[in-house]
Amino acid sequence: MSKLTLRPLRLLRINTGQLETYKHISSMENNNSKVGGKEQTADGLQQPSSGKSVAAASILRETDISLGEAGARELLKRTPNSYLLNQAYGLWFFISIFLLTLVITHEVSTEQYGIYAVVQTAYNTILYVVAFGFEDATYTFVPRVFAEHGPASAASLIRRLLMARLGILAVSVIVILFALPVLATLIEFSHLSIHLKLSFLKGAIDIQAQQVAAGLRNPELQAYIIPISIYVVGSSVGSLLNAVCAALMRMHIVLVIGSLTQLAMLIIGFIVLQLGGGITGMIWLLAIGSVLNMLAFAIWLAPLLLKRGASYKQPLKPLFQLGISAWLTNLATGALLKQISIILLGVFAISLIDVGYFNLSFQLADAANLLLVTGFGGVAGSALAAAFVGNNYERLSLSWQTLIRVETLLAAPGLVFCLFNAPNIAHALYGSTYDPVGPLLAIFIFFNIFVRVLGTTIHQSTLYVVNKSRLVVLGEWIGILALIIMGAILIPSFGPAGALIADGVARVLTGGLLLAFLWRDLPHKYPIKFTLRFLLALILAALPSILWHPADRTLLVISGCLFIVLCLGLLLWIKPLTGEDMEMVKGVNPRIAVYLKWFARG
């Protein structure tokens, strides 16, 4: 019987990410050095030597980092498509809202539209009050959990956020439905009388308990309580589900559901107004539409939301801390900035017609500001969160700088064109009845240009990602204080124009503060040279609008086309892009770099 020959075994190297991870782990373990009975790990921390427990902890830590990096890259790869899908929906959203506004302004009186504007602002304010920043927490934390721990862990976090949102809504609806009459009675019995006198207000304000109670018992307000409550529930839950789609870069869901909802609202809204439903019918339509939109999102996302087997449970404390900061910030930017202006207009007895003019100019300027960058809503915050996985400041800084440049490229041309053509745009869109909106629109667009090119919204999301949300709150509330002081000074003399100037200055001040707070954290700085060159080209292209004032929509479109042609010619001459910009573009998409090289120096 022949003897069995034993040959030495040879290990073959297989290039897979997982094996590479364990090789790196093994190398780290071998390099650990014992110091005085303690083992010093690769990150410089000293821990008691505990054999297998230390090795196991190292394996888990390094494996999480590897999985997180792979997940971050996957989310970042989805970002461009998610932006395009969200942008397509955003364009349709603005078009449908604009068409609906046109229908309303042509079917109801200016006073009725003023009432609609006040009610619309009121329930939007309630939405911000009950939001508690859950959407921003979703953008920031869900991408991290999804990248590092998988879909089941992300689903667990989303379910807990939804339960918290539903609990807050339950309390809020009870207060809205039942507490307002009780509150009115308590105020009336208290015989409250407040006399407020400020020297710069040029007078005094007297607030009597009977006036406050009468306002809370207003029959119109009572009639709108139920639809407002329904709208708040549907919109709040739907908004959180929308944030989930943005966090996971699944914006095709938002495109389909949101587009169909807006189309239905436009068609049914037109029918309601033609049948004489008026403002009341429109408010009920918004309430019912929000509930149907919420249900559609819940059904589509059900497979993800119900996924089990979570390997990690994210603590809620940091989410709530960021959420409260984001809530205070959103309350300031999304609700209080406009609501305070409307309150000040009411304090100084500005007519409802002027309030309507203010609302139209505010709404139209915001639409121009967001028209081509609405696709970044949520997507930008999720991309920044994914870029920062592993505390990668270099990648975060490049992403921050890229988003600022792209936002400037997309938003600034439209804003500059609207600035030089504001009276013509207002007349062409709303008719001669709303000609006073033109100068007001120009005022607010002027300030919105600075807000956009500063990259205010990008700074806000970046500060959330680097765990400096409190600085965002500080900057926003300094802006609120500036709005109150300037509004109180300007509104008595300039009416709605003064309110828009105060609001614009507050926004620019906030954007500058957020940039200052972020300046030292990022290795790459704000692209000031690119911004100045680009704005110079846009302003030169818009100068012919000073001499030519198109009176109808067709000529306005021709003027816009001429502006675009001049912009391209001037950009070829000024060349706002640098060699560094081109290297960045090549790294993202070499095909785009081939076309952009004509706009680059050197």
Side-chain angles (χ1 to χ4, degrees), residues 4 40 59 149 202 259 315 319 324 354 381 421 434 494 543:
L4 181 64
Q40 186 171 2
I59 290 173
H149 304 286
K202 300 180 181 179
S259 299
L319 272 82
I324 293 298
D354 282 335
N421 292 274
Y434 292 90
F494 301 102
L543 289 179

Side-chain angles (χ1 to χ4, degrees), residues 28 144 187 252 331 473 567 581:
M28 287 184 61
R144 295 183 188 178
I187 292 175
H252 60 284
L331 194 63
V473 177
C567 280
D581 296 330

Side-chain angles (χ1 to χ4, degrees), residues 350-401:
I350 304 300
S351 67
L352 279 177
I353 295 176
D354 282 335
V355 173
Y357 293 152
F358 166 83
N359 186 73
L360 272 180
S361 57
F362 194 104
Q363 181 177 315
L364 192 56
D366 268 355
N369 188 20
L370 297 171
L371 184 61
L372 292 179
V373 296
T374 185
F376 286 115
V379 173
S382 301
L384 290 167
F388 195 56
V389 168
N391 291 337
N392 192 329
Y393 280 91
E394 177 71 19
R395 185 168 59 189
L396 175 66
S397 179
L398 287 173
S399 299
W400 167 80
Q401 201 176 60

Side-chain angles (χ1 to χ4, degrees), residues 177-511:
L177 291 177
F178 303 108
L180 288 183
V182 176
L183 181 61
T185 302
L186 292 175
I187 292 175
E188 192 172 28
F189 284 152
S190 69
H191 301 290
L192 176 67
S193 179
I194 299 175
H195 181 74
L196 177 63
K197 186 171 183 178
L198 300 174
S199 58
F200 56 82
L201 291 183
K202 300 180 181 179
I205 305 169
D206 287 290
I207 305 174
Q208 302 293 332
Q210 291 79 6
Q211 295 174 346
V212 177
L216 292 175
R217 292 198 184 100
N218 189 318
E220 292 184 352
L221 177 61
Q222 295 296 324
Y224 294 142
I225 282 179
I226 294 178
I228 286 176
S229 300
I230 296 173
Y231 180 85
V232 167
V233 173
S235 294
S236 295
V237 178
S239 176
L240 188 57
L241 295 175
N242 193 314
V244 171
C245 295
L248 301 178
M249 303 296 179
R250 301 175 67 176
M251 298 309 296
H252 60 284
I253 302 175
V254 177
L255 176 64
V256 174
I257 295 177
S259 299
L260 292 177
T261 301
Q262 289 301 122
L263 179 61
M265 294 287 290
L266 180 60
I267 295 173
I268 299 174
F270 177 78
I271 296 173
V272 167
L273 290 173
Q274 291 297 316
L275 295 177
I279 297 304
T280 301
M282 290 304 304
I283 293 174
W284 273 101
L285 177 61
L286 290 173
I288 297 172
S290 69
V291 173
L292 295 177
N293 184 71
M294 172 196 72
L295 293 175
F297 271 111
I299 293 172
W300 197 322
L301 289 172
L304 170 66
L305 299 178
L306 299 177
K307 189 177 289 291
R308 301 293 177 178
S311 60
Y312 171 76
K313 190 172 184 179
Q314 168 68 43
L316 291 181
K317 182 179 179 180
L319 272 82
F320 289 151
Q321 289 175 338
L322 187 146
I324 293 298
S325 297
W327 174 65
L328 293 172
T329 299
N330 296 338
L331 194 63
T333 57
L336 290 183
L337 281 175
K338 184 177 180 182
Q339 186 66 37
I340 287 173
S341 297
I342 289 181
I343 290 173
L344 290 174
L345 289 170
V347 166
F348 293 105
I350 304 300
S351 67
L352 279 177
I353 295 176
D354 282 335
V355 173
Y357 293 152
F358 166 83
N359 186 73
L360 272 180
S361 57
F362 194 104
Q363 181 177 315
L364 192 56
D366 268 355
N369 188 20
L370 297 171
L371 184 61
L372 292 179
V373 296
T374 185
F376 286 115
V379 173
S382 301
L384 290 167
F388 195 56
V389 168
N391 291 337
N392 192 329
Y393 280 91
E394 177 71 19
R395 185 168 59 189
L396 175 66
S397 179
L398 287 173
S399 299
W400 167 80
Q401 201 176 60
T402 300
L403 287 170
I404 292 175
R405 283 191 175 96
V406 173
E407 279 206 345
T408 301
L409 284 168
L410 294 174
L415 288 172
V416 171
F417 178 77
C418 290
L419 174 66
F420 283 83
N421 292 274
N424 308 322
I425 292 173
H427 180 81
L429 295 180
Y430 301 115
S432 58
T433 305
Y434 292 90
D435 278 348
V437 171
L440 299 177
L441 176 62
I443 291 172
F444 204 44
I445 283 180
F446 174 78
F447 289 103
N448 270 280
I449 291 174
F450 288 97
V451 173
R452 181 56 60 191
V453 300
L454 271 174
T456 303
T457 56
I458 305 301
H459 306 332
Q460 177 179 321
S461 298
T462 308
L463 285 168
Y464 288 160
V465 168
V466 298
N467 197 27
K468 291 190 175 182
S469 57
R470 293 181 180 179
L471 292 179
V472 180
V473 177
L474 177 62
E476 295 292 352
W477 284 87
I478 289 175
I480 287 289
L481 180 61
L483 169 62
I484 295 173
I485 294 174
M486 293 195 63
I489 295 172
L490 296 176
I491 289 176
S493 300
F494 301 102
L500 291 169
I501 293 172
D503 201 316
V505 171
R507 292 187 177 199
V508 174
L509 174 62
T510 298

Side-chain angles (χ1 to χ4, degrees), residues 409 413 534 537-538 540-542 560-576 595-596 598-599:
L409 284 168
F534 190 67
L538 298 182
L540 292 176
C561 295
L562 177 62
F563 171 76
I564 293 173
V565 172
L566 290 175
C567 280
L568 291 175
L570 288 167
L571 289 174
L572 287 171
W573 175 51
I574 294 175
K575 299 185 182 299
Y595 299 101
L596 292 182
W598 302 104
F599 303 99

